[in-house]
Amino acid sequence: MLINELSKRTGVPIPTLRYYENYGLFKGMTDGKIKTNNYKDYDESIVEKIEMIKGAKEAGFTLSEIKNLIDSWFNKRLSKEKKITVVYSKITEIDNKIRQLNKVRKLLSECIVDIEKGNC
Amino acid sequence: MLINELSKRTGVPIPTLRYYENYGLFKGMTDGKIKTNNYKDYDESIVEKIEMIKGAKEAGFTLSEIKNLIDSWFNKRLSKEKKITVVYSKITEIDNKIRQLNKVRKLLSECIVDIEKGNC
DNA sequence: ATAAAGTATAAACCATACTTCATACTTTGT
DNA sequence: ACAAAGTATGAAGTATGGTTTATACTTTAT
């Protein structure tokens, strides 16, 4: 599919997709032998990749962290153990973030009680 | 306490504290009647406020969101109901974030299995 | 066939959240 | 007393994650 469809499928604006591609998060194919243009073609797997990127971003990861994750994910030369280490460390980060969010959530709940009591 | 101590107590660098104060997240006191200088004094409640700011930031909230929260928190003119609405909407956002994080966490766990199997 | 719409690339621009710098005054240690 | 360290303020600089603009080529619709 072309970038327009990719944008519609994922809900990510075209300039952002180009920015991501340029950043190295994924890569469209240009087949110089077949096509007269240099339009890039994106396949289904890239839609999935972008969904992953969106999820990770909403979860608060930076593009650079996401790039590291994707790189180790798809790097064939990396050993199983290395890959697993990278992914586990992200899982640990996620657990920390969830813990942090629950802490703030608790603070806010307590605040509701205070407001209802008329304090603060 | 002066800004140096505040920085040590909270672990937030002095320039960042000044940036936050300038942004309107809190305010130190300068008592022109007593002091010969214009050094600002920060009390215990500001330490707490900054801990809240740190928590909210780690949870992924922007300074502007945090400012809104603090403003409604300490705005005496706001009705109980308005305050509660603001705080509840933040709690809902936190719940969404936690859900999102769990989604990514699940994806990564599945990935571990895939890596162990030798796929991807 | 030709105007409108789509695509690619590079460069400039923007907002957020800081950090660094320059300047000037105040306090503290010896 | 006076150098070193702390404080305040304003302005400029930086990094991240985009968005916008300009230019040029390609495809599509009428």
Side-chain angles (χ1 to χ4, degrees):
Chain A
M1 74 191 79
L2 297 183
I3 198 157
N4 192 10
E5 194 183 341
L6 185 63
S7 170
K8 272 164 190 152
R9 287 281 301 278
T10 59
V12 178
I14 292 176
T16 306
L17 288 175
R18 299 218 236 249
Y19 177 75
Y20 285 174
E21 179 163 10
N22 208 264
Y23 196 96
L25 298 184
F26 58 83
K27 194 147 183 38
M29 285 296 144
T30 14
D31 191 341
K33 292 170 193 166
I34 296 172
K35 291 181 294 187
T36 72
N37 58 28
N38 59 342
Y39 291 9
K40 281 177 192 143
D41 184 72
Y42 305 94
D43 63 21
E44 219 43 42
S45 75
I46 294 194
V47 175
E48 283 171 47
K49 235 176 179 175
I50 291 168
E51 291 304 332
M52 280 169 51
I53 293 168
K54 281 169 62 182
K57 271 197 59 65
E58 274 176 64
F61 291 102
T62 65
L63 292 188
S64 135
E65 288 173 315
I66 295 169
K67 184 164 160 44
N68 283 340
L69 201 54
I70 288 180
D71 283 352
S72 71
W73 202 294
F74 294 96
N75 186 338
K76 293 290 174 204
R77 286 188 318 242
L78 230 59
S79 72
K80 260 187 197 182
E81 290 65 34
K82 266 260 189 291
K83 286 184 183 188
I84 288 177
T85 304
V86 172
V87 177
Y88 259 130
S89 85
K90 281 300 162 205
I91 290 180
T92 305
E93 280 177 47
I94 288 178
D95 288 343
N96 287 337
K97 280 187 184 178
I98 291 177
R99 213 168 302 130
Q100 189 62 40
L101 281 164
N102 278 318
K103 230 168 97 187
V104 176
R105 193 189 193 292
K106 201 178 153 214
L107 253 162
L108 293 183
S109 308
E110 285 166 10
C111 189
I112 298 261
V113 177
D114 280 356
I115 293 172
E116 266 161 0
K117 276 193 200 149
N119 316 348
C120 78
Chain B
M1 77 191 78
L2 297 183
I3 199 158
N4 193 9
E5 194 182 341
L6 185 63
S7 170
K8 271 163 192 153
R9 289 279 302 278
T10 59
V12 177
I14 291 175
T16 306
L17 288 175
R18 299 217 236 250
Y19 177 77
Y20 286 172
E21 180 162 10
N22 208 264
Y23 195 97
L25 298 184
F26 58 83
K27 195 147 181 38
M29 287 294 144
T30 15
D31 192 342
K33 292 170 193 166
I34 296 172
K35 291 182 296 187
T36 70
N37 59 27
N38 58 343
Y39 290 11
K40 282 175 191 143
D41 184 71
Y42 305 93
D43 62 21
E44 219 43 42
S45 75
I46 293 194
V47 175
E48 283 171 47
K49 235 177 178 175
I50 292 168
E51 291 303 332
M52 280 170 52
I53 294 168
K54 282 169 63 181
K57 272 197 59 66
E58 274 176 62
F61 291 103
T62 64
L63 291 188
S64 136
E65 290 173 314
I66 295 169
K67 184 165 159 44
N68 283 341
L69 201 55
I70 288 179
D71 284 351
S72 71
W73 202 295
F74 294 96
N75 186 339
K76 293 290 173 203
R77 286 188 318 241
L78 231 60
S79 72
K80 260 187 195 181
E81 289 65 34
K82 267 262 190 288
K83 285 185 184 188
I84 288 177
T85 305
V86 171
V87 177
Y88 259 130
S89 85
K90 281 298 163 207
I91 289 180
T92 305
E93 281 177 46
I94 287 178
D95 289 344
N96 286 338
K97 280 187 186 180
I98 291 176
R99 214 169 301 129
Q100 189 62 42
L101 281 164
N102 277 319
K103 230 167 95 186
V104 176
R105 195 189 191 291
K106 200 176 153 215
L107 253 163
L108 293 182
S109 308
E110 286 166 8
C111 188
I112 296 261
V113 177
D114 279 355
I115 293 172
E116 265 161 359
K117 278 193 199 149
N119 316 348
C120 79

